[in-house]
Amino acid sequence: SESFQKGCILVKARKFQEAVELLDEAVKLNDKEADHFAWRGWAGFLAARDKAAAKSVAFKDLEAALKLNPKCAQGLYFAGQITKLGGDAAGALKWFKKALTVDPNHVEAQREVRAAATTQKPK
């Protein structure tokens, strides 16, 4: 939908609050589309000042996305990002690897797995 496309563009432009509004509209227009929930959860997390409180709200959307489509790579990736930002690198890596099992070409997840591999090597 147009709301979904514009919402994704606004997330990338770092206009998170506006993105949440459009993605909320996208979910209302089509609540059977996993990506709508995944992107709304991610945008909502990024828009929130209190990241700890926002995490559980975001994960509700991500869980909804993964229930609709267990192969929603974007939802798995966003779960990894939120987990990483919460300080759990090992937990995040599991999410990123899971995203790659459903979509081996997911570029951002590939980048995260590579970055984790380089930081874990002993010096």
Side-chain angles (χ1 to χ4, degrees):
S1 73
E2 198 176 323
S3 305
F4 176 69
Q5 299 299 330
K6 283 183 179 171
C8 294
I9 290 165
L10 287 170
V11 170
K12 291 171 186 162
R14 306 183 68 77
K15 295 181 179 176
F16 305 127
Q17 203 53 57
E18 292 169 56
V20 170
E21 289 165 26
L22 281 169
L23 293 164
D24 202 33
E25 193 178 304
V27 167
K28 284 180 185 132
L29 291 169
N30 182 358
D31 64 358
K32 300 284 180 268
E33 184 55 62
D35 278 337
H36 292 186
F37 284 97
W39 279 86
R40 183 177 73 175
W42 178 231
F45 177 79
L46 294 171
R49 291 187 198 281
D50 181 350
K51 296 290 188 239
K55 183 179 176 178
S56 63
V57 177
F59 264 91
K60 280 194 181 99
D61 266 350
L62 295 177
E63 284 162 13
L66 295 168
K67 197 171 178 183
L68 284 166
N69 176 9
K71 292 188 165 159
C72 178
Q74 208 56 41
L76 294 165
Y77 171 74
F78 289 151
Q81 281 296 339
I82 292 169
T83 304
K84 180 181 166 186
L85 292 167
D88 178 2
L93 184 58
K94 286 180 188 157
W95 284 112
F96 296 136
K97 284 182 173 174
K98 210 181 239 190
L100 289 177
T101 62
V102 299
D103 179 5
N105 299 317
H106 194 289
V107 177
E108 292 104 335
Q110 288 173 347
R111 195 176 300 130
E112 290 292 345
V113 170
R114 271 198 309 273
T118 57
T119 56
Q120 287 172 355
K121 283 181 186 154
K123 295 201 162 53

